[in-house]
Amino acid sequence: MVREWDPRTASPAELASLLDTLNAVLAADLPQDPPWRGTHLREYLSEVMPGERRISWVAQADPAAGGAPGPILGHVHVLLLGDIGVLEVLVHPSVRRTGLGRDLARVAARRVYQEGFQSIGVEVVGGTPAVAFYEALGFSREYVETRSVLDLSGVDWSALAEMATGVGAGYRVQFCPGGPPDDLIEAYARAKAEVRDVDDGELRPSSYDPQRLRDSLATLHRRGMKPYIVLATHDRTGEVAGLTEVVVPAQHPTRADQYDTIVVQEHRGYGIDRAIKARMLLELRSAEPTLTEVQTWNAQANEAMLKVNAELGYRPDREWCEYGVDVAELVHRLGG
C-alpha cells in the first residue's frame, strides 16, 4: 500500500522501519558506505529551506498477524525547489523488480505535474540498479560528477600540515566551526556568487546572497548537520578570497560531506585551494575525533580541484549523475 506520509508526525516505529530499508539499500548498492543512524532522522527528512517543500510517500507491507503494522518497504519524496522537482525513490532489495519502484515514481510524478512543475531531476549513483531504473522511465543524463573518498587513517598528517601553510603572503586562513562569522557573511556570499554561472549541476543549489546563506546554515543545523568552514581572507581588502565547507551529518557521523570549495578568480594561483582544504582536515581531526572518512564531489572537467584532492589523498570512487525528464512525459509513460 502506497500512502502519503509526513515524517514530522510519523511514529518512532515507522522511522525505524524506514531506516532499516535505507540501510538495506546501502548494503546492497553501496556496501563501502557507512550505515545511517536514526539520530535526527525525523529532522533530516522534514526540514527544508524557506520557499521549498518536500512531499513524501511510503509503501508499507500488509499488517502482520495480530494487526501490527507491516514494515516500510519503499519510500519516495520529491523536493519542490525553484522550477524543478527533485525525486528520490528507495525500494528494499527484497521487493525490487516487483513494480513497486514504478508505483512510487508514478504517485510522485503525478503530484509534481499537479503542482505545475515541468521537469523532474534525480541524483543517480553510477554502478547501481538506479541507473537502469531511471533510464527505463525515460530520464536522460544531464550532468556527471566524480565522487572521491578520503580515508583519514591513511593521511600523512605532517605532509598535510605543510600543505596547510602553503598559502601565499597577504592572506589569512581561519577555521569557523558552525559557519562564517556574521561580519563576513556578506563577503562570504559574494565569494560564492562569483561562480554562480559555472555549470555545477542544478539539484544542489548553493547560497549566493547573505539571507539565503543564513537560511541555509540554520537549515543544516535543524537537520542535525554540523557545518565547518575554513576561509582565506585578503589582508589588504578584507574580502573572502577562498572558502571550503564540510558538513558532518548526525545520520552518518563517521563520513563527512564536502560542500563548496571556491577560490575567487583574482586570488587564484596563490595556493589557497590546497591550503584551506588541508587546514580543514587538520581541524576536523580535533573537532570530530570519530570521523574516519570525507567524501567530495567534483565535475570531471574540474581538473585543478581533482588534482588538489589527489594530493590530499582522495581516491575516485564512482560517478554521481544528475538525470532529468519532462514531467508530462513521465506521467504518460507511467500511466498516470
Side-chain angles (χ1 to χ4, degrees), residues 5-75:
W5 183 76
D6 188 345
R8 295 171 298 180
T9 58
S11 69
E14 287 178 338
L15 289 170
S17 182
L18 177 59
L19 181 64
D20 288 343
T21 289
L22 169 60
N23 282 328
V25 170
L26 284 175
D29 298 347
L30 296 168
Q32 304 305 316
D33 282 27
W36 279 42
R37 304 178 185 180
T39 311
H40 289 290
L41 183 61
R42 187 187 304 275
E43 293 80 7
Y44 181 87
L45 294 170
S46 58
E47 293 291 342
V48 296
M49 289 276 288
E52 299 177 356
R53 286 184 295 144
R54 180 182 280 113
I55 309 171
S56 301
W57 296 261
V58 294
Q60 197 161 7
D62 293 335
I72 290 176
L73 298 175
H75 173 252

Side-chain angles (χ1 to χ4, degrees), residues 79-318:
L79 179 64
L80 302 175
L81 62 105
D83 59 357
I84 191 172
V86 181
L87 183 71
E88 184 174 353
V89 178
L90 192 73
V91 176
H92 195 286
S94 67
V95 291
R96 286 177 174 171
R97 308 187 73 84
T98 64
L100 179 56
R102 289 178 64 91
D103 291 343
L104 291 167
R106 180 186 300 113
V107 70
R110 193 180 294 162
R111 176 64 67 85
V112 175
Y113 180 77
Q114 292 168 349
E115 294 279 348
F117 287 75
Q118 295 184 345
S119 60
I120 287 181
V122 63
E123 286 192 341
V124 180
V125 184
T128 70
V131 175
F133 172 75
Y134 287 109
E135 289 182 351
L137 295 184
F139 283 78
S140 299
R141 184 180 296 196
E142 298 176 344
Y143 182 75
V144 181
E145 291 180 311
T146 296
R147 182 179 78 165
S148 300
V149 178
L150 174 64
D151 180 353
L152 295 177
S153 68
V155 168
D156 183 338
W157 294 103
S158 60
L160 205 69
E162 185 175 345
M163 292 181 195
T165 62
V167 65
Y171 296 94
R172 182 167 66 93
V173 177
Q174 62 186 104
F175 175 57
C176 306
D182 198 64
D183 62 339
L184 285 176
I185 285 282
E186 292 191 9
Y188 192 92
R190 283 196 297 273
K192 290 171 76 77
E194 173 151 323
V195 295
R196 76 174 70 200
D197 296 327
V198 176
D199 181 16
D200 58 353
E202 297 180 355
L203 306 188
R204 284 175 275 146
S206 192
S207 301
Y208 301 128
D209 67 80
Q211 188 53 53
R212 181 173 173 83
L213 181 56
R214 291 187 178 96
D215 291 340
S216 177
L217 289 165
T219 302
L220 285 173
H221 285 291
R222 291 196 305 272
R223 298 182 82 199
M225 306 167 76
K226 291 190 288 185
Y228 293 96
I229 290 169
V230 171
L231 52 85
T233 51
H234 188 220
D235 290 339
R236 182 174 58 81
T237 63
E239 287 294 298
V240 172
L243 60 96
T244 189
E245 306 163 333
V246 167
V247 171
V248 179
Q251 299 80 20
H252 52 89
T254 61
R255 178 181 284 193
D257 299 329
Q258 173 79 60
Y259 281 27
D260 284 344
T261 297
I262 294 168
V263 178
V264 175
Q265 181 70 41
E266 66 182 277
H267 299 288
R268 293 177 184 174
Y270 297 96
I272 292 175
D273 46 5
R274 189 174 70 161
I276 58 178
K277 294 196 74 167
R279 172 71 178 273
M280 173 66 80
L281 295 172
L282 291 167
E283 296 288 356
L284 288 174
R285 190 185 188 192
S286 301
E288 296 286 341
T290 64
L291 193 66
T292 61
E293 296 173 310
V294 182
Q295 58 185 0
T296 187
W297 295 263
N298 297 101
Q300 295 179 341
N302 191 351
E303 295 180 1
M305 190 55 64
L306 289 170
K307 181 176 182 293
V308 168
N309 287 338
E311 292 173 351
L312 295 170
Y314 284 86
R315 295 292 176 262
D317 177 44
R318 60 178 67 225

